[in-house]
Amino acid sequence: MEPFQSVNAWRLPNWAVGLEVHSQTASDVSAGVRGTRDFYPEEMRLRNWLFEHFHAAARSHGFEEYDSPVLESEELYTRKAGEEITAQLYNFEDKGGRRVTLRPEMTPSLARMVMAKSGALPTPIKWYSIPQCWRYERTQRGRGREHYQWNVDIWGLHGVEADAELLSVLVHFFEAVGLKSDDLVIRVSNRKVLEEVLGALGIEGETFSKTCIVIDKMDKLPPEAIEQQLADLGHGHDSIDRIRKVLGMKDLDDLSIELDSDSQAVRELRDLFALCESYGITSWLAFDASVVRGLAYYTGSVFEAHDRDNELRAICGGGRYDRLLSTLGGKDLPATGFGFGDMVIMELLSVKGLIPHLPSGNEDIVIPLDKALRPAAMAVASRLRASGRSVDLVLDDKRMKWAFRHAERTGAQRLVMVMPEEWQAGKVRIKNLETGEESDFDAESL
Ligand code: HAM
């Protein structure tokens, strides 16, 4: 494989650019559904490359893969906190009259799976998955109506050790694809920061989760709109001022002055950063109190990765959600995890010139020189395939010139030529396309 091509040499029509996703009118069936993507083989090779890095980072940290259906009960997502995600469901009634939806995220499905085996699964549960998720969103750079979302979660551990391990998975992945800590930052905070601030003002429970959802929209909505929404939740001027002050903090020492001396939020954050020091990953991290995340279920550590230039949407996000199971009618089990979409990371890799040029993976091209030699070429291809080579056999009348161009285009290593005289002598001619060397080989010994 060649190293990396520059961004100009590799512009992805539907993916890295992100905007040229389908945008059809209802009658235009030649285009797919708006906001969805086709993956042509070139893009599919890249997707597989990306996913292979997702698999490798998770496996290197001892996670096992799981999966679940893309179709779920709508009920699984009926939450009251006013999250965007529940307003974006691809939901409908099936032919049996059940309310169902395409999953917008994986966490509730995972919770359902854990709950279904309550108590029977040995903890900690360390699982990962790469589901396709569906959200009826406004399509924009890095956001589509479907995306693949790498999910890595740990269930059954209370401590920030689990959160630190997840951050290590992330950094392992970033390094493996060639990114550096100068390229992006994982901003880390803890929901308990805001919980303590609001708790002191007597704001708890549902109002707390709803406040987090509003705060998460701070960089997307004008300040007046945010203020209005906070006021609608019952926050007075004092409360809003205090929220603003604390959210602006980027230093743990400042935070510890602002919160109680025995603040659990500060303790957890300090512990988490200390553990990350041992992993050697602190250059990738920054404390940022403004990270609260836009989903209601988070209860502790929260984090989001962003490009340092702040030009793209969040690369990934996650956090601790210790009380999700009880909201689904089960017995709580501590949990923490993250979701990592395929779209923004491809944007970032593209901007950084880190998109690899991937050949098709065919090793040999077998070509008969004339029609009469086709059966011989088939026998040769079969022999090579049986020995484990991936072989593209030329099935129609093609000239040698075409075969050379085809080999170049697909990155094949060898051209295997079945020629009349050589075949008579039990031989085939093989050209090594890397070195240019050409020699005859015994067909029997291939
Ligand atoms: P989320 O922040 O909604 O969290 O999504 C996680 C990531 O999925 C985002 O940072 C982004 O990379 C990607 N993503 C989300 N929506 C889209 C979209 N419309 N188009 C492209 N990419 C998108 C969750 O979903 C949580 N369930 C993550 C989690 C797992 N928390 C704990 N475990």
Side-chain angles (χ1 to χ4, degrees):
M1 190 177 90
E2 276 177 38
F4 296 112
Q5 288 201 339
S6 76
V7 56
N8 291 334
W10 187 266
R11 291 304 290 180
L12 282 170
N14 292 344
W15 195 355
V17 177
L19 279 178
E20 285 161 36
V21 288
H22 294 139
S23 55
Q24 96 293 24
T25 56
S27 61
D28 183 4
V29 290
S30 68
V33 172
R34 181 185 278 270
T36 65
R37 298 164 296 167
D38 292 324
F39 289 84
Y40 286 82
E42 197 180 10
E43 291 139 358
M44 197 63 204
R45 288 204 290 275
L46 257 187
R47 190 175 110 186
N48 286 337
W49 169 84
L50 178 71
F51 286 13
E52 202 32 66
H53 280 292
F54 286 159
H55 286 293
R59 286 197 204 111
S60 73
H61 285 67
F63 287 79
E64 283 201 282
E65 193 176 7
Y66 69 98
D67 199 10
S68 73
V70 67
L71 197 62
E72 279 286 6
S73 301
E74 187 186 68
E75 223 186 345
L76 199 56
Y77 309 92
T78 22
R79 305 189 291 236
K80 283 175 278 168
E83 299 152 294
E84 268 186 334
I85 202 168
T86 53
Q88 294 168 336
L89 293 180
Y90 267 94
N91 47 359
F92 57 97
E93 193 173 288
D94 74 6
K95 291 196 169 69
R98 295 171 208 92
R99 294 296 310 171
V100 291
T101 183
L102 300 183
R103 65 180 162 217
E105 55 159 340
M106 196 60 166
T107 313
S109 305
L110 172 60
R112 183 176 60 63
M113 287 171 70
V114 170
M115 204 160 71
K117 298 228 170 197
S118 67
L121 295 167
T123 54
I125 298 162
K126 290 174 69 184
W127 288 356
Y128 81 96
S129 191
I130 313 176
Q132 190 183 32
C133 296
W134 292 81
R135 298 183 189 184
Y136 199 84
E137 285 217 31
R138 194 169 66 80
T139 55
Q140 50 183 301
R141 193 178 182 201
R143 288 285 179 273
R145 293 197 171 158
E146 51 76 20
H147 69 283
Y148 289 90
Q149 197 192 82
W150 180 35
N151 276 250
V152 183
D153 292 84
I154 303 179
W155 288 72
L157 296 180
H158 279 288
V160 287
E161 288 78 5
D163 306 324
E165 180 81 347
L166 293 172
L167 295 171
S168 170
V169 174
L170 279 176
V171 173
H172 186 101
F173 166 84
F174 289 136
E175 285 177 338
V177 295
L179 287 164
K180 306 225 161 12
S181 57
D182 293 347
D183 298 324
L184 64 97
V185 57
I186 308 172
R187 298 192 189 123
V188 181
S189 188
N190 193 307
R191 276 262 170 117
K192 286 175 187 148
V193 171
L194 207 58
E195 203 173 39
E196 286 172 19
V197 170
L198 297 183
L201 300 167
I203 298 158
E204 298 169 328
E206 210 172 285
T207 311
F208 169 69
S209 330
K210 288 184 174 170
T211 304
C212 291
I213 309 297
V214 173
I215 289 170
D216 185 64
K217 293 188 267 191
M218 264 184 171
D219 53 356
K220 293 177 217 144
L221 294 180
E224 314 80 61
I226 295 290
E227 220 136 289
Q228 186 55 53
Q229 290 190 19
L230 288 175
D232 292 347
L233 288 174
H235 294 287
H237 280 302
D238 287 356
S239 162
I240 295 176
D241 285 349
R242 190 140 161 74
I243 290 172
R244 281 201 186 285
K245 180 169 184 208
V246 172
L247 290 181
M249 293 190 159
K250 309 258 184 275
D251 186 293
L252 269 180
D253 291 333
D254 293 345
L255 182 73
S256 66
I257 295 166
E258 190 65 29
L259 299 180
D260 269 2
S261 54
D262 62 344
S263 155
Q264 197 185 343
V266 174
R267 208 171 338 116
E268 287 189 10
L269 280 162
R270 283 203 198 286
D271 289 350
L272 181 62
F273 276 91
L275 294 171
C276 290
E277 190 93 43
S278 309
Y279 281 103
I281 58 172
T282 45
S283 64
W284 296 82
L285 310 177
F287 164 64
D288 185 338
S290 71
V291 175
V292 292
R293 307 273 300 129
L295 295 163
Y297 49 64
Y298 292 112
T299 54
S301 300
V302 276
F303 50 89
E304 257 174 28
H306 286 267
D307 62 302
R308 293 251 183 209
D309 298 333
N310 236 341
E311 280 180 0
L312 306 172
R313 298 285 303 264
I315 300 166
C316 63
R320 178 164 284 283
Y321 51 103
D322 288 345
R323 292 192 289 274
L324 181 56
L325 287 196
S326 59
T327 64
L328 298 174
K331 188 166 163 286
D332 277 329
L333 188 64
T336 180
F338 66 77
F340 190 128
D342 65 322
M343 291 180 81
V344 180
I345 187 65
M346 291 307 290
E347 290 272 348
L348 181 63
L349 291 170
S350 175
V351 169
K352 299 291 169 191
L354 291 172
I355 302 277
H357 171 67
L358 302 170
S360 73
N362 289 334
E363 292 167 312
D364 296 333
I365 293 174
V366 175
I367 179 164
L369 244 64
D370 59 50
K371 216 171 180 169
L373 286 167
R374 241 180 237 165
M378 286 171 179
V380 167
S382 299
R383 212 164 290 157
L384 287 168
R385 286 168 180 161
S387 77
R389 309 273 303 169
S390 46
V391 178
D392 187 16
L393 171 65
V394 179
L395 296 168
D396 55 352
D397 292 330
K398 285 280 189 295
R399 291 173 189 283
M400 205 46 87
K401 215 165 124 196
W402 177 90
F404 276 106
R405 254 190 288 118
H406 181 56
E408 200 177 318
R409 207 175 45 235
T410 57
Q413 297 160 3
R414 306 190 308 176
L415 195 59
V416 181
M417 295 165 273
V418 184
M419 300 154 80
E421 275 175 34
E422 287 73 5
W423 185 249
Q424 282 283 317
K427 301 218 180 267
V428 290
R429 180 154 299 171
I430 298 186
K431 186 176 175 83
N432 182 321
L433 296 162
E434 276 154 27
T435 62
E437 274 170 47
E438 209 174 282
S439 34
D440 290 348
F441 286 84
D442 224 337
E444 292 290 332
S445 68
L446 282 176

